[in-house]
Amino acid sequence: MDQGAFTADGCSVEVYRLLPPAGEPGIVHAAVPGGASILELGSGSGRITHGLLDLGHPVVAVDDSPEMLAHVRAETVCSKIEDLRLDRLFDAVLLGSHLVNTADEAVRAAFLAAARWHVSPGGRVLVEWHPPEWFETVRDGQGGRLGEVDLRLGEIVRDGDLLSAVVRYSSGDRWWSQPFTCRCLPLPALDAALTAAGLTFDRWCTADRTWFAALPA
């Protein structure tokens, strides 16, 4: 079956259009002042962007997929995160989708550097990540439902601090699969990565420690 357009890293544009937010706009909204300007790194098709707009935040959405950005109802910038250098600062920079857990250390450093470059002196960088305990407990078949899409993890392989898996999305008779590899970051390694980027840990934004805020050092 025709599964539509895919991004360079294997994300289906169609499935991301189907996925609703899972509370992320509210998490971000609670962590920043009302009306705060937000730079969203890796926005995809606007799953979180549109919720933030509804909450009164001006958002600039960044993604390297023109196909994704075509569905975003906000100001957009087509760029890789690591190459982004806008001549603007923002009250908050959002780095979601567990991007900080990338297996590539150099890419992680570049992601955090881009976030630091664009955050105002009194602003915050808001990061979604897989905490270390997730790597210990995640199992094949784990998942749930978001809107009309069912998500399941499978083919989990652990190799030291790396975890590889395939996430399968399905909706009706349609399905998509996306492999990924991520790296576990113990708290000392996270602190070191933030420090190297000119950031410092601020606080956890959720009780399950899947979101945290960092401040420009």
Side-chain angles (χ1 to χ4, degrees), residues 190-203:
L190 174 63
D191 284 337
L194 293 174
T195 298
L199 296 166
T200 184
F201 181 88
D202 177 30
R203 61 183 175 87

Side-chain angles (χ1 to χ4, degrees), residues 119 123-127 194 199-203 212-216:
V119 68
R124 282 189 170 89
V125 176
L126 303 175
V127 182
L194 293 174
L199 296 166
T200 184
F201 181 88
D202 177 30
R203 61 183 175 87
F212 65 85
L215 302 175

